[in-house]
Amino acid sequence: MADPFKLDLTQRPRRLRRTASLRALTEETVLRPANFIAPLFVIEGKGRPEAIASMPGVSRLNIGDLVKECRALSKLGVPAVALFPKIEAKLKDDDGTVALHEDGLILRAVRAVKKAVPEMTVMTDIALDPYTTHGHDGVLNAARNDVENDRTVGILMRMAVLHARAGVDLVAPSDMMDGRVGAIRKGLDATGFTETGIMAYSAKFASAYYGPFRDAVGSASAAGTNLLSKATYQLGPGNRRAALIESTLDAAEGADIVMIKPAGPYLDIIREVRMSTRKPVAAYQVSGEYAQIHAAAKLGWLDLARCRHESLLAIKRAGADMILTYFAKEMAAELK
Ligand code: PBG
């Protein structure tokens, strides 16, 4: 006997999900290798790659290996890398002075990559945390034991000019000081680097998801904890409007690209920033987002490849034009 139950429906959205080809035709968001920016960690010397325990598959590389990695990424269609130095503890001081050394590690790394793989877009972080003994992104005001805004901005501006001279395509201020994008733009223009762009970490939240990164660059051991509070400069995780104020200011001060960070836990912010600006929007899937997928996969609780793909698809769907992710290389290989 036939089942008598039948709905009288005109709309049956499942029609378009019936076959693989119909699903392909109606796919709204697609990832491609050119969407990704690979963050890479660089170390001094000629030693072997140093594994980072909390970031499986990610290592700190010497400059020679870094160049090889950039070549491999370029072959896979990844258009950009973001370079982070791990500075030797003995070179750090309270003011992060070594950030302004004319022949610093990061500057040599940039020159080597741009020389060997000129088509690769290279960006560098502009902030003092890899260089300071305390791990903060700027210099401290002793009286208030807080990061001092304007003096930090002056240093960051000089740092950006050094990086531009070394050949970076984009400088990426990640410090969250007030007025730094405008100051960096002025500094770059005054020294003739009118073509060096700025990707601003605009909505950067004071997040617990940065823990593994702080292990990677050694800012955690410097500070004695990877839970160092940056709450006086990074955004409060509950603050939507503050994120829009920051991204609007950065765009007005001359940011070419505005970024939201972390990405996955802040998809609503990505969407709102996307709707509030016409500039390209970037999102940073940070170390903790990467680590949690790996940890669950290791326990057999999540499927690594599928979660990797879905987490990035969600970030793009929310409105990111480009994504900084430690999965960049594997994703590009998978998509190719
Ligand atoms: C520091 C900086 C951080 C990250 C990028 N640049 C950490 C921090 O603010 O403490 C985090 C990246 C990640 O977690 O993957 N200026």
Side-chain angles (χ1 to χ4, degrees), residues 55 84 125 127 129 137 174-175 201 204 209-211 213-214 219 230 234 261 284-288 326:
M55 301 178 73
F84 298 93
D125 241 41
D129 54 301
D137 291 28
S174 68
D175 56 295
Y201 285 73
K204 179 173 181 180
Y209 287 87
Y210 305 149
F213 173 95
R214 294 182 185 174
S219 61
K230 300 191 176 184
Q234 298 178 349
K261 171 189 180 187
Y284 197 144
Q285 183 182 51
V286 302
S287 56
Y326 301 96

Short mmCIF file of all heavy atoms in Angstrom, two decimals, residues 55 84 125 127 129 137 174-175 201 204 209-211 213-214 219 230 234 261 284-288 326, ligand 1:
data_model
loop_
_atom_site.label_atom_id
_atom_site.label_comp_id
_atom_site.label_asym_id
_atom_site.label_seq_id
_atom_site.Cartn_x
_atom_site.Cartn_y
_atom_site.Cartn_z
N MET A 55 51.85 23.25 17.28
CA MET A 55 51.39 23.49 15.90
C MET A 55 51.92 22.39 14.98
O MET A 55 52.89 22.60 14.24
CB MET A 55 51.89 24.87 15.42
CG MET A 55 51.40 26.02 16.28
SD MET A 55 52.05 27.61 15.74
CE MET A 55 51.08 27.87 14.26
N PHE A 84 57.45 35.80 10.13
CA PHE A 84 57.61 36.12 11.55
C PHE A 84 58.97 35.62 12.04
O PHE A 84 59.28 34.44 11.86
CB PHE A 84 56.51 35.44 12.37
CG PHE A 84 55.12 35.88 12.02
CD1 PHE A 84 54.38 35.18 11.07
CD2 PHE A 84 54.56 36.99 12.62
CE1 PHE A 84 53.09 35.59 10.73
CE2 PHE A 84 53.27 37.41 12.29
CZ PHE A 84 52.53 36.70 11.35
N ASP A 125 55.12 41.32 9.83
CA ASP A 125 54.44 41.92 10.96
C ASP A 125 55.20 43.15 11.45
O ASP A 125 56.42 43.12 11.56
CB ASP A 125 54.41 40.90 12.11
CG ASP A 125 52.99 40.56 12.51
OD1 ASP A 125 52.15 40.41 11.60
OD2 ASP A 125 52.72 40.44 13.72
N ALA A 127 55.31 44.99 14.73
CA ALA A 127 54.96 45.00 16.16
C ALA A 127 56.22 44.56 16.88
O ALA A 127 57.11 43.94 16.29
CB ALA A 127 53.82 44.04 16.48
N ASP A 129 56.55 42.57 19.72
CA ASP A 129 56.53 41.39 20.62
C ASP A 129 57.62 40.34 20.38
O ASP A 129 58.07 39.73 21.33
CB ASP A 129 55.14 40.74 20.63
CG ASP A 129 54.64 40.40 19.25
OD1 ASP A 129 54.52 41.32 18.43
OD2 ASP A 129 54.38 39.22 18.97
N ASP A 137 53.61 44.17 22.55
CA ASP A 137 53.79 44.64 21.17
C ASP A 137 54.43 46.02 21.07
O ASP A 137 54.65 46.51 19.96
CB ASP A 137 52.42 44.68 20.46
CG ASP A 137 51.88 43.28 20.22
OD1 ASP A 137 52.22 42.37 21.00
OD2 ASP A 137 51.11 43.09 19.26
N SER A 174 50.51 44.86 13.53
CA SER A 174 49.67 43.93 14.29
C SER A 174 49.60 44.33 15.75
O SER A 174 49.27 43.53 16.62
CB SER A 174 50.24 42.51 14.18
OG SER A 174 51.49 42.43 14.85
N ASP A 175 49.92 45.58 16.03
CA ASP A 175 50.14 46.05 17.40
C ASP A 175 48.92 46.66 18.07
O ASP A 175 48.85 46.73 19.28
CB ASP A 175 51.21 47.13 17.35
CG ASP A 175 50.76 48.22 16.37
OD1 ASP A 175 50.65 47.93 15.15
OD2 ASP A 175 50.46 49.33 16.81
N TYR A 201 46.16 44.87 10.77
CA TYR A 201 45.43 44.04 11.72
C TYR A 201 44.48 45.01 12.39
O TYR A 201 44.83 45.65 13.38
CB TYR A 201 46.37 43.46 12.76
CG TYR A 201 47.28 42.31 12.36
CD1 TYR A 201 48.38 42.52 11.54
CD2 TYR A 201 47.06 41.03 12.87
CE1 TYR A 201 49.23 41.47 11.22
CE2 TYR A 201 47.92 39.98 12.56
CZ TYR A 201 49.00 40.21 11.73
OH TYR A 201 49.84 39.17 11.43
N LYS A 204 41.80 43.26 15.82
CA LYS A 204 42.57 42.19 16.44
C LYS A 204 42.14 42.08 17.90
O LYS A 204 42.29 43.02 18.69
CB LYS A 204 44.07 42.52 16.36
CG LYS A 204 44.92 41.44 17.01
CD LYS A 204 46.39 41.67 16.79
CE LYS A 204 47.21 40.57 17.43
NZ LYS A 204 48.64 40.76 17.23
N TYR A 209 43.40 32.39 21.72
CA TYR A 209 43.78 31.52 20.60
C TYR A 209 45.17 31.80 20.03
O TYR A 209 45.57 31.20 19.04
CB TYR A 209 42.75 31.64 19.47
CG TYR A 209 41.42 30.96 19.75
CD1 TYR A 209 40.40 31.64 20.41
CD2 TYR A 209 41.19 29.65 19.36
CE1 TYR A 209 39.19 31.04 20.66
CE2 TYR A 209 39.98 29.03 19.60
CZ TYR A 209 38.98 29.73 20.26
OH TYR A 209 37.77 29.13 20.50
N TYR A 210 45.89 32.78 20.60
CA TYR A 210 47.24 33.07 20.10
C TYR A 210 48.31 32.25 20.81
O TYR A 210 49.49 32.39 20.51
CB TYR A 210 47.60 34.56 20.27
CG TYR A 210 46.62 35.55 19.66
CD1 TYR A 210 46.44 36.81 20.23
CD2 TYR A 210 45.90 35.23 18.52
CE1 TYR A 210 45.55 37.72 19.69
CE2 TYR A 210 45.00 36.14 17.97
CZ TYR A 210 44.84 37.39 18.56
OH TYR A 210 43.96 38.29 18.03
N GLY A 211 47.91 31.43 21.78
CA GLY A 211 48.89 30.71 22.60
C GLY A 211 49.99 30.01 21.82
O GLY A 211 51.18 30.26 22.06
N PHE A 213 51.13 30.41 18.83
CA PHE A 213 51.98 31.37 18.11
C PHE A 213 53.04 31.95 19.05
O PHE A 213 54.19 32.14 18.68
CB PHE A 213 51.13 32.50 17.54
CG PHE A 213 51.90 33.65 16.91
CD1 PHE A 213 52.13 33.68 15.54
CD2 PHE A 213 52.38 34.70 17.69
CE1 PHE A 213 52.84 34.73 14.97
CE2 PHE A 213 53.09 35.75 17.12
CZ PHE A 213 53.31 35.77 15.76
N ARG A 214 52.62 32.22 20.28
CA ARG A 214 53.57 32.81 21.23
C ARG A 214 54.67 31.81 21.57
O ARG A 214 55.80 32.21 21.85
CB ARG A 214 52.83 33.32 22.46
CG ARG A 214 51.92 34.50 22.08
CD ARG A 214 51.18 35.09 23.28
NE ARG A 214 50.24 36.12 22.84
CZ ARG A 214 49.38 36.73 23.65
NH1 ARG A 214 49.35 36.40 24.93
NH2 ARG A 214 48.56 37.66 23.18
N SER A 219 57.56 34.64 22.33
CA SER A 219 57.12 35.78 23.14
C SER A 219 56.47 35.29 24.43
O SER A 219 56.38 36.03 25.40
CB SER A 219 56.17 36.70 22.35
OG SER A 219 54.99 36.01 21.97
N LYS A 230 46.93 41.39 26.73
CA LYS A 230 47.16 42.55 25.88
C LYS A 230 45.87 43.37 25.80
O LYS A 230 45.60 44.05 24.81
CB LYS A 230 47.63 42.09 24.49
CG LYS A 230 48.94 41.28 24.54
CD LYS A 230 49.57 41.04 23.17
CE LYS A 230 50.92 40.31 23.31
NZ LYS A 230 51.60 40.14 21.99
N GLN A 234 44.61 45.31 22.49
CA GLN A 234 43.78 44.47 21.61
C GLN A 234 42.31 44.58 22.05
O GLN A 234 42.01 44.96 23.18
CB GLN A 234 44.28 43.03 21.66
CG GLN A 234 45.73 42.91 21.15
CD GLN A 234 46.29 41.51 21.22
OE1 GLN A 234 45.71 40.61 21.82
NE2 GLN A 234 47.45 41.32 20.61
N LYS A 261 41.02 39.26 13.16
CA LYS A 261 41.81 38.19 13.75
C LYS A 261 41.43 37.98 15.20
O LYS A 261 41.35 38.97 15.93
CB LYS A 261 43.28 38.59 13.64
CG LYS A 261 44.24 37.70 14.37
CD LYS A 261 45.60 38.32 14.38
CE LYS A 261 46.52 37.38 15.13
NZ LYS A 261 47.81 37.94 15.35
N TYR A 284 42.55 36.16 9.68
CA TYR A 284 43.67 35.34 10.11
C TYR A 284 43.15 34.17 10.94
O TYR A 284 42.67 34.36 12.05
CB TYR A 284 44.62 36.21 10.95
CG TYR A 284 46.03 35.67 11.16
CD1 TYR A 284 47.11 36.54 11.20
CD2 TYR A 284 46.30 34.32 11.34
CE1 TYR A 284 48.42 36.09 11.40
CE2 TYR A 284 47.58 33.85 11.54
CZ TYR A 284 48.64 34.73 11.57
OH TYR A 284 49.92 34.27 11.78
N GLN A 285 43.22 32.98 10.34
CA GLN A 285 42.90 31.77 11.10
C GLN A 285 44.13 31.49 11.96
O GLN A 285 45.16 31.02 11.45
CB GLN A 285 42.62 30.60 10.16
CG GLN A 285 42.22 29.33 10.90
CD GLN A 285 41.98 28.16 9.97
OE1 GLN A 285 42.82 27.85 9.12
NE2 GLN A 285 40.85 27.49 10.09
N VAL A 286 44.05 31.78 13.24
CA VAL A 286 45.26 31.85 14.06
C VAL A 286 45.70 30.47 14.57
O VAL A 286 45.02 29.46 14.40
CB VAL A 286 45.10 32.83 15.24
CG1 VAL A 286 44.76 34.23 14.74
CG2 VAL A 286 44.05 32.34 16.24
N SER A 287 46.85 30.52 15.24
CA SER A 287 47.51 29.29 15.70
C SER A 287 46.58 28.41 16.54
O SER A 287 46.58 27.19 16.38
CB SER A 287 48.75 29.66 16.49
OG SER A 287 48.43 30.53 17.56
N GLY A 288 45.78 29.00 17.41
CA GLY A 288 44.91 28.20 18.27
C GLY A 288 43.79 27.53 17.50
O GLY A 288 43.34 26.44 17.85
N TYR A 326 47.69 28.51 8.60
CA TYR A 326 48.79 27.56 8.63
C TYR A 326 48.47 26.33 7.78
O TYR A 326 49.33 25.48 7.58
CB TYR A 326 49.10 27.17 10.09
CG TYR A 326 49.46 28.40 10.91
CD1 TYR A 326 48.49 29.05 11.69
CD2 TYR A 326 50.72 28.95 10.84
CE1 TYR A 326 48.79 30.21 12.39
CE2 TYR A 326 51.04 30.11 11.54
CZ TYR A 326 50.06 30.73 12.31
OH TYR A 326 50.36 31.89 12.99
C1 PBG B 1 51.88 39.72 17.50
C2 PBG B 1 51.12 38.73 16.72
C3 PBG B 1 50.38 37.68 17.29
C4 PBG B 1 49.91 36.92 16.21
C5 PBG B 1 50.33 37.52 15.03
N1 PBG B 1 51.08 38.66 15.37
C6 PBG B 1 50.16 37.28 18.70
C7 PBG B 1 49.87 38.27 19.73
O1 PBG B 1 49.27 39.33 19.49
O2 PBG B 1 50.24 37.97 20.87
C8 PBG B 1 49.10 35.68 16.40
C9 PBG B 1 49.06 34.73 15.27
C10 PBG B 1 48.56 33.39 15.64
O3 PBG B 1 48.13 33.10 16.77
O4 PBG B 1 48.59 32.54 14.73
N2 PBG B 1 51.90 41.01 17.12
#
